[in-house]
């Protein structure tokens, strides 16, 4: 086809949101149940590059697929950075407590600070990416992340470490929110749900290898060496983004307003009860997950006497369960069974696993060892493989007009709720796992309540991917 002077995305065969300038650039505000589903979610879709007809299979779709693997790997790396930043540090928590002469609850605040930073940072970066595109805010955030992580390795006190972890989280938010927004730019409906499951496969490698790497680093150096390794990872990922991740948001689809428009867009998103329902449900499920992340180093190592290496192996096994279930969700369930049915089943399993852990830690079954507790944690973590990708997909299906802002709200709610849950798991000290289980039960039951009370899936029969 002769060159017609199309967009840079067309010339470079980069898949875009498929929005034609002048047709869908103005923001829409969803209200109540009238969400922003502009397509039939039951039909697999990969949008064609701008300026190319959508119908010919050999044209736009084939070009999108040629770049799909590379885009998947880059976005997978961005979504893997947060679990890598937190989980690689987990085996070192008891050592940091001794090194900085601080109580465990204070050291757990280093996790809380990082989460809070990621939550607040997304509120800023999300609207920025809707206005200036995905690439520039992402590169800026990655550079600041590298600097903040390097400074964490030099922190002489717990207070300074908490402060720099906050900055690390603020900068790392760019990768989280923009990766989700790019997915929304490129995919819709069933394909978006499947892509999120694919991202879970890639990013899920991080929690498997991160504690293992952290445990091995601890054999050769102290906890500061972990931050040195993270700094190197950040540098590599920054270079990869700079070289291979091109802009996916066309100029005609960007918001031109300032802070006021960003706030109005977010207010409109929050006015959509169903979007808010999925957002809060996902945030509460994430709180269950983070209660495990922040408490398990002390529960497994201090209460049940496991070594850092054993803890790393158990943590990796749980992550394998999450990945496996996520792939079952994306490859077998999506498109065949309603996303809401799968999500409801996952939430029910999470509740049952959390209740079982509470009964075990309170002594209802007598004194139990590490194996039963580890089994309960494995079931809980595995069920996250259907809860997390499906809440994101269902929420973002309604928000094509403001993917950055919607992604920011999804991420902020998750990380803020997780940040609140983190210190609660250590409120009774290091000698009991009951607070962890209580937080998990409360958050899991609340997630089910939000799903049923706000999302009301029985009122939207046929809208979900796969139907009934």
């Amino acid at each position: 086809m002769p060159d017609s002077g199309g967009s840079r995305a067309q010339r470079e065969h980069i898949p875009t949101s498929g929005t034609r300038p002048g047709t869908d650039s103005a923001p829409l505000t969803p209200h109540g149940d009238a969400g922003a589903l502009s397509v039939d979610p039951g039909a697999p879709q990969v949008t064609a590059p701008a300026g190319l007809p959508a119908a010919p299979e050999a044209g736009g779709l084939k070009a999108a697929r040629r770049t799909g693997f590379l885009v998947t790997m880059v976005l997978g790396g961005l979504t893997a950075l947060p679990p890598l930043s937190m989980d690689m540090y987990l085996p070192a928590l008891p050592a940091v407590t001794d090194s900085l002469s601080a109580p465990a609850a204070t050291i757990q605040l280093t996790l809380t600070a990082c989460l809070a930073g990621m939550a607040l940072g997304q509120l800023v970066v999300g609207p920025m990416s809707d206005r200036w595109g995905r690439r520039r805010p992402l590169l800026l955030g990655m550079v600041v992340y590298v600097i903040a992580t390097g400074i964490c390795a030099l922190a002489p006190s717990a207070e300074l470490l908490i402060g720099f972890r906050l900055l690390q989280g603020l900068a790392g938010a760019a990768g989280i929110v923009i990766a989700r927004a790019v997915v929304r730019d490129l995919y819709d409906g069933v394909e978006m749900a499947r892509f999120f499951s694919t991202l879970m496969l890639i990013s899920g490698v991080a929690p498997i290898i991160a504690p293992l790497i952290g445990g091995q680093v601890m054999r050769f150096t102290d906890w500061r060496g972990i931050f040195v390794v993270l700094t190197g990872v950040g540098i590599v990922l920054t270079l990869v983004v700079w070289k291979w991740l091109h802009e996916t948001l066309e100029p005609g689809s960007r918001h031109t307003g300032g802070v006021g428009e960003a706030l109005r867009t977010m207010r409109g998103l929050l006015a959509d009860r169903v979007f808010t329902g999925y957002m809060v449900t996902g945030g509460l499920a994430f709180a269950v997950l983070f209660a495990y992340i922040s408490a398990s180093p002390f529960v497994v190592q201090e209460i049940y006497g496991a070594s850092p290496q054993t803890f790393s192996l158990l943590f990796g096994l749980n992550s394998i369960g999450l990945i496996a279930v996520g792939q079952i969700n994306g490859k077998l369930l999506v498109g065949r069974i309603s996303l809401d049915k799968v999500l409801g089943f996952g939430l029910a399993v999470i509740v049952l696993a959390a209740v079982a852990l509470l009964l075990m830690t309170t002594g209802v079954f007598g004194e139990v060892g590490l194996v039963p507790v580890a089994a309960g944690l494995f079931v809980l973590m595995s069920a996250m493989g259907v809860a997390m990708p499906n809440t994101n997909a269902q929420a973002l299906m309604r928000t094509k007009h403001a993917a950055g802002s919607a992604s920011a709200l999804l991420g902020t709610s998750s990380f803020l709720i997780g940040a609140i849950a983190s210190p609660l798991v250590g409120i009774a000290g290091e000698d009991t796992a009951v607070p962890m289980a209580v937080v998990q039960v409360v958050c899991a039951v609340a997630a089910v309540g939000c799903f049923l009370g706000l999302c009301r899936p029985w009122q939207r029969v046929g809208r979900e991917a796969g139907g009934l």
Side-chain angles (χ1 to χ4, degrees):
M1 184 177 68
D3 184 4
S4 60
S7 66
R8 178 168 66 86
Q10 176 183 343
R11 293 193 301 270
E12 296 177 0
H13 302 291
I14 303 300
T16 69
S17 62
T19 303
R20 295 179 180 177
T23 61
D24 194 25
S25 59
L28 305 174
T29 302
H31 293 284
D33 288 331
L37 280 172
S38 59
V39 296
D40 177 11
Q45 299 174 28
V46 179
T47 54
L52 292 177
E57 177 71 17
L61 295 182
K62 187 175 290 185
R65 286 166 184 158
R66 282 201 297 269
T67 59
F69 177 76
L70 184 58
V71 171
T72 300
M73 296 304 295
V74 175
L75 296 182
L78 292 174
T79 55
L81 189 61
L84 191 65
S85 301
M86 291 186 289
D87 299 344
M88 192 171 165
Y89 174 66
L90 293 180
L93 282 178
V96 177
T97 301
D98 296 335
S99 174
L100 299 181
S101 301
T106 300
I107 298 303
Q108 283 176 329
L109 288 176
T110 61
L111 294 174
T112 302
C114 188
L115 273 181
M118 289 179 180
L120 298 175
Q122 290 183 72
L123 286 178
V124 177
V125 177
M128 284 175 59
S129 72
D130 282 338
R131 182 175 183 183
W132 289 299
R134 314 303 187 198
R135 181 175 166 84
R136 285 185 291 175
L138 177 58
L139 286 172
L140 177 61
M142 292 302 301
V143 170
V144 177
Y145 172 87
V146 169
I147 296 173
T149 305
I151 295 175
C152 284
L154 306 174
S157 67
E159 292 75 18
L160 288 175
L161 181 60
I162 291 171
F164 289 131
R165 288 280 280 175
L166 176 64
L167 179 61
Q168 183 190 43
L170 288 168
I176 307 169
V177 67
I178 292 179
R180 278 196 301 263
V182 169
V183 173
R184 189 61 186 93
D185 291 341
L186 301 179
Y187 298 97
D188 208 342
V190 169
E191 286 300 320
M192 182 168 59
R194 287 176 175 157
F195 197 92
F196 275 123
S197 293
T198 302
L199 283 186
M200 179 166 290
L201 172 63
I202 300 171
S203 62
V205 174
I208 294 175
I209 66 173
L212 296 174
I213 295 174
Q216 295 305 312
V217 170
M218 291 287 291
R219 299 180 65 175
F220 300 101
T221 182
D222 60 5
W223 60 271
R224 299 181 189 275
I226 294 177
F227 286 106
V228 173
V229 174
L230 286 173
T231 301
V233 172
I235 292 173
V236 171
L237 189 54
T238 302
L239 294 175
V240 168
V241 169
W242 176 74
K243 183 172 179 60
W244 282 298
L245 186 63
H246 300 285
E247 185 58 63
T248 60
L249 185 65
E250 294 180 348
S253 299
R254 298 176 188 177
H255 295 184
T256 58
V259 175
E261 181 181 341
L263 293 176
R264 285 192 297 272
T265 299
M266 290 187 175
R267 185 170 64 248
L269 291 170
L270 293 174
D272 180 0
R273 171 177 53 77
V274 179
F275 171 83
T276 301
Y278 286 119
M279 179 187 71
V280 178
T281 299
L284 289 167
F286 185 82
V288 176
L289 174 65
F290 200 73
Y292 158 75
I293 291 175
S294 59
S296 60
F298 297 97
V299 171
V300 174
Q301 295 180 79
E302 301 296 327
I303 297 177
Y304 292 99
S307 66
Q309 288 71 36
T310 300
F311 164 74
S312 300
L313 290 172
L314 290 175
F315 196 92
L317 181 63
N318 291 338
S319 299
I320 290 174
L322 186 150
I323 293 172
V325 174
Q327 292 313 291
I328 292 173
N329 175 70
K331 304 299 183 182
L332 300 179
L333 302 181
V334 171
R336 293 180 174 88
I337 303 175
S338 163
L339 292 183
D340 279 331
K341 281 187 176 181
V342 179
L343 175 58
F345 175 77
L347 292 174
V349 174
I350 292 172
V351 170
L352 292 175
V355 171
L357 286 168
L358 180 61
L359 295 176
M360 285 188 284
T361 56
T362 53
V364 172
F365 301 129
E367 186 175 350
V368 298
L370 177 60
V371 173
V373 173
L377 292 173
F378 176 80
V379 173
L380 184 145
M381 281 283 285
S382 297
M384 293 292 173
V386 293
M388 296 173 65
N390 288 343
T391 51
N392 283 335
Q394 289 287 67
L396 288 173
M397 279 182 193
R398 307 175 67 84
T399 59
K400 184 175 182 179
H401 61 284
S405 297
S407 179
L409 288 173
L410 289 172
T412 296
S413 63
S414 295
F415 282 97
L416 279 180
I417 296 173
I420 294 172
S422 175
L424 296 179
V425 300
I427 198 169
E430 306 173 28
D431 300 325
T432 176
V434 173
M436 177 192 74
V438 169
V439 170
Q440 289 174 332
V441 169
V442 171
C443 291
V445 172
V448 172
C450 287
F451 176 62
L452 297 177
L454 295 179
C455 301
R456 302 176 188 175
W458 60 87
Q459 294 182 350
R460 302 188 326 282
V461 175
R463 283 191 176 186
E464 302 90 338
L468 285 177

